[in-house]
């Protein structure tokens, strides 16, 4: 679960990193607040857009199992690992 949250946070930060790179390329100091103030709202919207798009695409194209999950159980004195059937 933590991995999934960290992936989404990373995806949210992509627009900010791209803007940081853009500021470096055009020769502006990316650590000055003046360059960020007008763009923060747009960057947040872009970050949310990337996260929502990734969640929708994951939901549409993720692997599906038509059968249910059978948890690990004991059968004839042996532990049978959990599996999808």
């Amino acid at each position: 679960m933590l991995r999934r949250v960290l992936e989404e946070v990373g995806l949210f930060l992509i627009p900010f990193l791209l803007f940081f790179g853009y500021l470096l390329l055009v020769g502006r100091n990316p650590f000055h607040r003046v360059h960020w103030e007008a763009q923060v709202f747009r960057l947040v919207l872009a970050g949310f857009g990337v996260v929502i798009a990734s969640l929708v695409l994951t939901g549409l194209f993720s692997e599906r199992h038509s059968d249910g999950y059978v948890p690990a159980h004991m059968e004839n004195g042996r532990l049978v690992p959990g599996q999808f059937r």
Side-chain angles (χ1 to χ4, degrees), residues 28-79:
R28 296 183 184 164
N29 186 349
F31 297 109
H32 284 162
R33 185 176 177 185
V34 175
H35 303 302
W36 292 87
E37 287 176 348
Q39 305 301 328
V40 169
F41 183 69
R42 291 180 186 157
L43 292 170
V44 168
L45 285 180
F48 282 141
V50 170
V51 170
I52 290 170
S54 74
L55 291 173
V56 168
L57 290 174
T58 300
L60 290 175
F61 298 111
S62 63
E63 183 180 347
R64 303 276 188 234
H65 297 282
S66 60
D67 301 325
Y69 178 75
V70 178
H73 60 280
M74 296 296 288
E75 199 172 277
N76 296 330
R78 285 186 21 225
L79 177 64

